[in-house]
Amino acid sequence: MNSGICTGRTAVVTGAGRGLGRAHALALAAEGARVVVNDLGVAPDGSGAAPGPAQQVADEIRARGGEAVAHSGDVATEEGAASLVATALTAFGRLDTLVNNAGFLRDRMLVNLGEDDWDAVVRVHLKGHFLPVRHAVAHWRAETRAGRTPVARVVNTGSGAGLLGSVGQANYAAAKAGIIALTLVAAAETARYGVQVNAIAPAARTRMTERTFADTMAVPADGGFDAMAPENVSPLVVWLGSASCAGVTGRVFEAQGGRITVMEGWSPGPTADHPARRTPAEAGETARALLAVARAPQPVYGAR
């Protein structure tokens, strides 16, 4: 583990005790990164907490010859996010890459979705991205002002649910859409400090997806290519977390199996200008005319 595109770099991965985060942490270490493995150790719905998952992955990295430390703090709190960055600096003397991945689900149809379930999911996903980014960027800004401009990378975890919507996941979809917007703003604001910020929208078999998408998440019985294995997503994450992706920032990538897609997001479609204020009827007539020549939106996941 002493050579690779992340040799000499220190990476932090949140939610790295299982699933995608674990795969990312192992892949980063395999490419030479020293890794801070963060995981609160909660159940799929966010209940409970245990240090075991983070420690187990850190131990696994070390058993493979890499360098890693565990961090079991809650990154959706000021204290947890600050200690996450501090752990990297204390253990390895630097921070180069932040991979935000922590999250859980509390799926309900919109009319059955309680306020607590909304707040909990938005908190862990959106706030759990914002606070680590803010603390990491504060460190990189200080480095830049001290004349040591870093080659820093942030990889955020969005979702197809945040790009297209997902039936029964209003809280999750809203949080993931917020993460995409956060990524775009962070990329624009932090470039001056040597930071590149990108996001992925992965599709893989994890604790969060195996129940919802059981029919499409099964391991191939014939032993063939497992398109839904979380390890398939990690190579892109490793590249985005390395110096090799110079010049790539403010981008969103879908990743599943062997497929990588650059998402192009919102862009202006058909437009009609008018020299004066329209009446409601005129506005409606114009809107219908524009919709008639506009591209149809992609369907919401789960919609019939």
Side-chain angles (χ1 to χ4, degrees):
M1 290 193 182
N2 294 322
S3 63
I5 65 172
C6 290
T7 297
R9 297 179 68 81
T10 294
V12 168
V13 185
T14 71
R18 305 178 179 92
L20 282 164
R22 172 183 174 273
H24 300 339
L26 293 174
L28 284 159
E31 288 293 328
R34 297 165 294 190
V35 184
V36 177
V37 180
N38 163 266
D39 202 286
L40 190 55
V42 300
D45 66 353
S47 60
Q55 190 61 57
Q56 289 167 9
V57 175
D59 290 344
E60 188 174 358
I61 290 172
R62 289 195 292 268
R64 297 183 182 189
E67 297 181 66
V69 295
H71 178 273
S72 57
D74 183 354
V75 296
T77 66
E78 280 282 353
E79 179 183 5
S83 69
L84 182 69
V85 172
T87 296
L89 299 178
T90 299
F92 303 121
R94 60 186 298 127
L95 172 61
D96 303 284
T97 299
L98 168 63
V99 179
N100 284 311
N101 173 76
F104 55 74
L105 294 177
R106 293 188 186 178
D107 292 350
R108 301 281 192 280
M109 297 300 282
L110 185 61
V111 295
N112 298 319
L113 184 61
E115 183 178 1
D116 289 346
D117 292 332
W118 174 274
D119 288 345
V121 169
V122 171
R123 173 187 178 275
V124 69
H125 288 280
L126 188 51
K127 191 175 181 183
H129 273 62
F130 159 64
L131 287 175
V133 169
R134 183 161 65 82
H135 282 277
V137 170
H139 165 68
W140 290 324
R141 180 180 63 179
E143 287 291 285
T144 299
R145 289 176 174 176
R148 299 184 297 270
T149 301
V151 180
R153 304 288 186 259
V154 176
V155 184
N156 291 329
T157 304
S159 169
L163 300 173
L164 300 177
S166 181
V167 171
Q169 294 187 305
N171 49 1
Y172 176 74
K176 290 302 190 181
I179 288 168
I180 299 304
L182 173 65
T183 298
L184 302 181
V185 173
E189 291 186 356
T190 65
R192 72 189 73 178
Y193 308 129
V195 185
Q196 292 182 186
V197 187
N198 294 285
I200 60 166
R205 184 192 314 103
T206 70
R207 292 192 308 164
M208 288 174 55
T209 59
E210 60 186 358
R211 291 186 180 180
T212 305
F213 305 107
D215 293 341
T216 58
M217 293 288 176
V219 178
D222 61 2
F225 177 56
D226 183 2
M228 300 312 297
E231 290 79 8
N232 298 328
V233 177
S234 299
L236 176 61
V237 172
V238 172
W239 183 75
L240 289 172
S242 74
S244 300
C245 72
V248 179
T249 193
R251 292 290 196 165
V252 180
F253 299 84
E254 277 195 334
Q256 175 186 342
R259 185 176 69 243
I260 296 173
T261 303
V262 177
M263 303 304 290
E264 296 186 331
W266 292 103
S267 58
T271 303
D273 205 356
H274 192 62
R277 182 183 303 123
R278 293 181 173 91
T279 66
E282 289 171 338
E285 182 180 352
T286 300
R288 286 195 178 278
L290 294 174
L291 289 169
V293 295
R295 290 190 302 174
Q298 294 292 308
V300 172
Y301 286 106
R304 296 179 180 178

